[in-house]
Amino acid sequence: MVNKKNLLERLNLGPVICAEGFLFEIEKRGYMSSGEFVPMVALDHPEVLENLHKEFQHAGSDIVEAFTYNGHREKMRIIGKEELLEPLNRSALKIAKKVALNTPNGMRPNLMAGNISNSNIWKEGDKKSQLEVEKIFDEMIEWAVDEGADILVGETFYYAEEAFKALEVMKKSGLQTVVTISPMGENIMRDGKSVIETCKELEQRGADVVGMNCFRGPNTMLPYLKEIRKVVKCHVGALPIPYRTTKKNPTFFNLPDKNGCGCESPHGRTFPTALDPMYCNRYEIRKFAKEVYNLGINYLGVCCGANPMLIRETAEAVGLEVPASKYRENISNHFMYGSNKRIPKHMSDYGDKA
């Protein structure tokens, strides 16, 4: 068996790429219901999920994160399929483990991550809801450990106390932990703690990696990452959404389409199904990845809205060559804009005018 370095050993040596964003990508491919966003794909079409993991892996992801986001007991109750909770989790974990164990030649062996996330039922000061969330975390982590997870990822927490509870439960496993938070439009955690205070406390409580994921694009996540990197000694994670959030509209929940065609969504907002015009291009994601890496942030990725191309851009931005690098753009051979001497002059001349 290959002796693979653990997460902290890898981070101490340099960048580690983690692909997230399965939720949006699977929905776009037609295997998940938007709004509901329950990862039934792990049971209904496991081959689709396996192939997406492989595509992210080909693009440079070092971590195969089991797609159990929203695969928790409360979500399964909402859709009336609670009896499928454990089968769904175990299927997603087995798929991720299979892909991680079959890392292509030339790539460093992948790590498989178990995943827990925001429960949506955590309520400040409500012991009953908090105990229910703890039970949700307990069972999901038990299944992840049982299926051979190498690390645990807790993500997208907008309550600081929920993030702390997730970390507490994860640490019982003995596995290395990543905890990333996702403040909403108030720019603080919903229970009043600042983003910086929350990350500092997560480090103090023993998280191996702290940082931010989801909700915010590069422009509105970067300022916080700069401050987080200054105040914590542990490794920092940076996994934005690839959408052009702004100071006025810091998350994708309230992002307006100022240049839209008037084809408004039936639910009256761009999130989650009409965000396309606000999408970051690959160069924006590359710029963000390079900038945060230069700050000393080594745990990098892209969240909701990610696709394999953006994962490749993230990897290449920090100096990694990945299998997908073989197919990166080569405009020199373009039929109108190329510099190749075989491009007919009349076509290149036309390209200047087209």
Side-chain angles (χ1 to χ4, degrees):
M1 186 174 179
V2 176
N3 181 23
K4 59 185 179 184
K5 290 182 171 63
N6 65 36
L7 177 62
L8 288 181
E9 289 171 333
R10 295 172 188 224
L11 287 168
N12 289 338
L13 290 172
V16 172
I17 310 300
C18 179
E20 292 187 342
F22 296 90
L23 205 73
F24 277 28
E25 187 66 9
I26 289 291
E27 190 274 337
K28 285 182 178 179
R29 295 180 181 206
Y31 297 96
M32 176 182 286
S33 175
S34 184
E36 187 173 281
F37 284 133
V38 179
M40 293 302 296
V41 66
L43 292 176
D44 295 343
H45 292 280
E47 75 286 353
V48 171
L49 181 54
E50 181 178 339
N51 285 337
L52 181 56
H53 278 308
K54 289 179 178 178
E55 289 177 31
F56 279 135
Q57 188 182 62
H58 176 75
S61 186
D62 297 297
I63 296 171
V64 185
E65 187 173 308
F67 185 28
T68 54
Y69 184 93
N70 273 353
H72 56 71
R73 189 168 294 278
E74 180 60 24
K75 272 289 187 179
M76 299 303 282
R77 285 170 177 160
I78 288 172
I79 66 170
K81 295 182 178 179
E82 192 175 355
E83 75 281 1
L84 295 178
L85 173 66
E86 184 173 348
L88 184 152
N89 273 262
R90 288 194 181 275
S91 177
L93 289 158
K94 288 179 188 295
I95 292 166
K97 191 66 176 179
K98 177 184 177 182
V99 175
L101 288 175
N102 289 279
T103 308
N105 291 334
M107 292 184 70
R108 53 188 174 183
N110 280 189
L111 299 173
M112 191 274 265
N115 175 264
I116 58 174
S117 60
N118 53 308
S119 66
N120 305 318
I121 60 170
W122 182 277
K123 187 176 180 182
E124 188 178 2
D126 184 339
K127 297 296 183 183
K128 184 179 179 181
S129 72
Q130 293 175 7
L131 181 59
E132 182 63 26
V133 172
E134 184 174 0
K135 290 178 180 177
I136 285 171
F137 292 159
D138 272 327
E139 61 188 0
M140 293 181 74
I141 289 169
E142 181 182 346
W143 295 326
V145 172
D146 192 42
E147 296 294 345
D150 299 300
I151 63 172
L152 295 174
V153 173
E155 51 143 321
T156 324
F157 298 111
Y158 42 87
Y159 283 96
E161 293 294 336
E162 186 177 26
F164 300 154
K165 178 56 69 175
L167 176 60
E168 176 188 318
V169 177
M170 286 194 292
K171 282 184 67 62
K172 293 177 186 176
S173 71
L175 297 177
Q176 293 178 346
T177 55
V178 178
V179 185
T180 50
I181 60 174
S182 307
M184 291 193 176
E186 302 96 334
N187 296 322
I188 58 173
M189 305 304 283
R190 295 219 65 200
D191 39 13
K193 280 191 179 287
S194 76
V195 174
I196 309 305
E197 288 172 344
T198 303
C199 287
K200 285 173 67 176
E201 188 160 346
L202 284 167
E203 179 187 33
Q204 291 163 5
R205 289 173 181 246
D208 296 301
V209 180
V210 304
M212 299 177 72
N213 80 297
C214 212
F215 293 8
R216 292 167 185 261
N219 290 339
T220 56
M221 184 178 284
L222 183 58
Y224 291 100
L225 292 171
K226 289 178 178 179
E227 295 305 310
I228 293 167
R229 181 63 285 175
K230 289 176 185 176
V231 301
V232 301
K233 294 183 175 63
C234 66
H235 285 286
V236 174
L239 301 97
I241 55 167
Y243 297 100
R244 293 171 179 156
T245 52
T246 66
K247 188 173 181 179
K248 183 178 179 181
N249 301 108
T251 73
F252 61 179
F253 293 123
N254 53 9
L255 200 57
D257 181 2
K258 295 180 180 178
N259 300 308
C261 65
C263 308
E264 293 188 6
S265 65
H267 42 81
R269 53 176 66 229
T270 60
F271 177 88
T273 53
L275 287 163
D276 309 70
M278 283 73 77
Y279 204 65
C280 294
N281 65 45
R282 66 188 69 191
Y283 308 109
E284 292 169 275
I285 296 301
R286 173 180 277 262
K287 179 176 181 290
F288 171 84
K290 188 171 184 178
E291 189 163 359
V292 295
Y293 178 61
N294 288 339
L295 292 173
I297 294 175
N298 281 4
Y299 188 94
L300 305 163
V302 184
C303 205
C304 289
N307 60 46
M309 177 268 292
L310 294 181
I311 297 301
R312 182 189 68 187
E313 290 296 321
T314 299
E316 291 187 342
V318 297
L320 300 175
E321 185 171 342
V322 301
S325 297
K326 177 179 178 181
Y327 303 103
R328 81 173 330 275
E329 66 196 62
N330 184 1
I331 302 301
S332 67
N333 285 338
H334 189 270
F335 80 105
M336 281 199 303
Y337 304 123
S339 57
N340 190 304
K341 63 183 180 181
R342 291 197 59 83
I343 305 297
K345 187 175 184 303
H346 70 277
M347 288 308 303
S348 58
D349 287 347
Y350 181 73
D352 293 334
K353 303 172 183 176

